[in-house]
Amino acid sequence: GDSVTQMEGPVTLSEEAFLTINCTYTATGYPSLFWYVQYPGEGLQLLLKATKADDKGSNKGFEATYRKETTSFHLEKGSVQVSDSAVYFCALTPGAGSYQLTFGKGTKLSVIP
Amino acid sequence: KAGVTQTPRYLIKTRGQQVTLSCSPISGHRSVSWYQQTPGQGLQFLFEYFSETQRNKGNFPGRFSGRQFSNSRSEMNVSTLELGDSALYLCASSIRGQGGEQYFGPGTRLTVT
């Protein structure tokens, strides 16, 4: 079945550092890829998405590019802020009429001043 | 536009009891999905409803069931509660087909004692 593997945390960075969270996937067909973020005590918020190969999703300074050749969708941000501290989830939907999200285990990011 | 709402936000039940959780989707969204989040298993798909019909079901026992009403509101029910059912239950709504984006509610925290 489909699966998502992302780097396990926790990740601790200083403010203004560069962030990369690795994500790779296994899926048949043409999945759509997502990054969700979860702040403490809250539900999931959609951060960005990409629906086909070579698409780049971006939002709030975060970016991720859908790489079909490496089955990857790594999340990057050039300069993190304390307010970016949260848990980040990589996810996919398989397409072909199915909208079931399959999630990675999540990566906890802590940004210190 | 109001977001996804879930009630109740917190619930404490005893083993053997049953529980019903409610989800109201974003206005205009006709698809509702349910996910279980636990520290051990992460985020797992329970089921999806669209136009009052279950479209997809995850790998959970029959004690977990759901339904959707004509106004797209959804409920999920767990019967004969077990300690392992303690989790955050998240509801997500979407306009099925438009890039697969799903918008999550804040969740219902269920504790089984």
Side-chain angles (χ1 to χ4, degrees), chain A residues 36 44 91-93 99-103, chain B residues 6 21 32-38 42-48 60 76 87-93 100 102-104 107-108:
Chain A
Y36 280 88
L44 299 172
L92 67 82
T93 54
Y99 301 93
Q100 171 181 337
L101 278 162
T102 297
F103 288 91
Chain B
Q6 292 186 245
L21 312 181
V32 174
S33 297
W34 289 88
Y35 295 84
Q36 181 196 64
Q37 185 177 25
T38 60
L43 282 151
Q44 295 184 285
F45 171 78
L46 280 156
F47 26 64
E48 182 208 358
F60 278 82
M76 68 163 281
L88 181 66
Y89 290 88
L90 293 164
C91 165
S93 78
Q102 296 182 37
Y103 298 87
F104 284 79
T108 294

Side-chain angles (χ1 to χ4, degrees), chain B residues 19 21 34-36 45-47 49 54 57-67 75-82 84-87 89 110 112:
Chain B
V19 67
L21 312 181
W34 289 88
Y35 295 84
Q36 181 196 64
F45 171 78
L46 280 156
F47 26 64
Y49 286 87
Q54 188 180 91
K57 187 175 183 353
N59 190 24
F60 278 82
R63 299 186 297 108
F64 292 81
S65 62
R67 59 178 175 167
E75 290 181 346
M76 68 163 281
N77 185 77
V78 188
S79 62
T80 320
L81 284 166
E82 301 177 359
D85 297 333
S86 295
Y89 290 88
L110 172 64
V112 182

Side-chain angles (χ1 to χ4, degrees), chain A residues 41-102:
Chain A
E42 298 184 13
L44 299 172
Q45 295 180 25
L46 177 63
L47 184 58
L48 51 85
K49 70 169 187 180
T51 57
K52 61 182 188 296
D54 300 325
D55 265 2
K56 177 186 282 189
S58 62
N59 186 26
K60 299 180 181 179
F62 291 89
E63 292 183 339
T65 301
Y66 188 142
R67 301 286 188 200
K68 194 164 179 65
E69 64 275 14
T70 55
T71 62
S72 65
F73 193 54
H74 305 321
L75 182 68
E76 296 182 336
K77 187 176 186 183
S79 175
V80 294
Q81 305 300 313
V82 171
S83 57
D84 293 327
S85 298
V87 181
Y88 292 81
F89 293 91
C90 185
L92 67 82
T93 54
S98 173
Y99 301 93
Q100 171 181 337
L101 278 162
T102 297

